[in-house]
Every structure is written in C-alpha cells, then in structure tokens.
Amino acid sequence: MQMLPGDKRLLNLTLPKNARFWFAFVNQNGVWPWREQDRILIPLEQQTKNNQPIPVEIFYSSRVGPAVAAR
C-alpha cells in the first residue's frame, strides 16, 4: 500500500485469525515489527518529502476455508 504517515510512528494492524506474519517493508527497507497482544506494530519512517506517500508492504499467510466441489 502507499501511505502518508504524517506524524504516525507506528502502523497498527490486526491479521485474520490464525494468520502468520512473515515480514514487512517500509519504503523498500525491511523493518522489525513487534506484537502487542493480537496487534502487529510496524515502525514507520519519518516522512522526508512533504505529501509524498511511502510504500508499505506486509507479507503474511493464512488458511482459506475448505474447498467446495463444483456441481
């Protein structure tokens, strides 16, 4: 996603139940997030260029529901 962090220092997110977080990139740099209960906190960079969005990539895996046979 692209975002304007403004004064935000952290991006808080909650993944779907039983999802597994793998890694995140902020502005094409790997970051070290941490967990706080069921939330993942991703550190954001200070915005260097005014009103320029930064890319944030979040990678996780999650199981989908069971397959349904076509009739």
Side-chain angles (χ1 to χ4, degrees), residues 9 11 14 20-21 24 34 42 44-45 50 55 58 60-61:
R9 303 289 291 171
L11 174 62
T14 304
R20 182 173 178 187
F21 176 83
W34 62 93
I42 298 174
L44 299 173
E45 293 181 353
N50 290 340
I58 301 161
Y60 70 94
S61 60

Side-chain angles (χ1 to χ4, degrees), residues 31-48:
V31 293
W32 290 98
W34 62 93
R35 289 185 181 264
E36 190 172 280
Q37 296 165 350
D38 64 342
R39 294 177 299 153
I40 296 176
L41 306 171
I42 298 174
L44 299 173
E45 293 181 353
Q46 287 279 18
Q47 195 168 358
T48 56

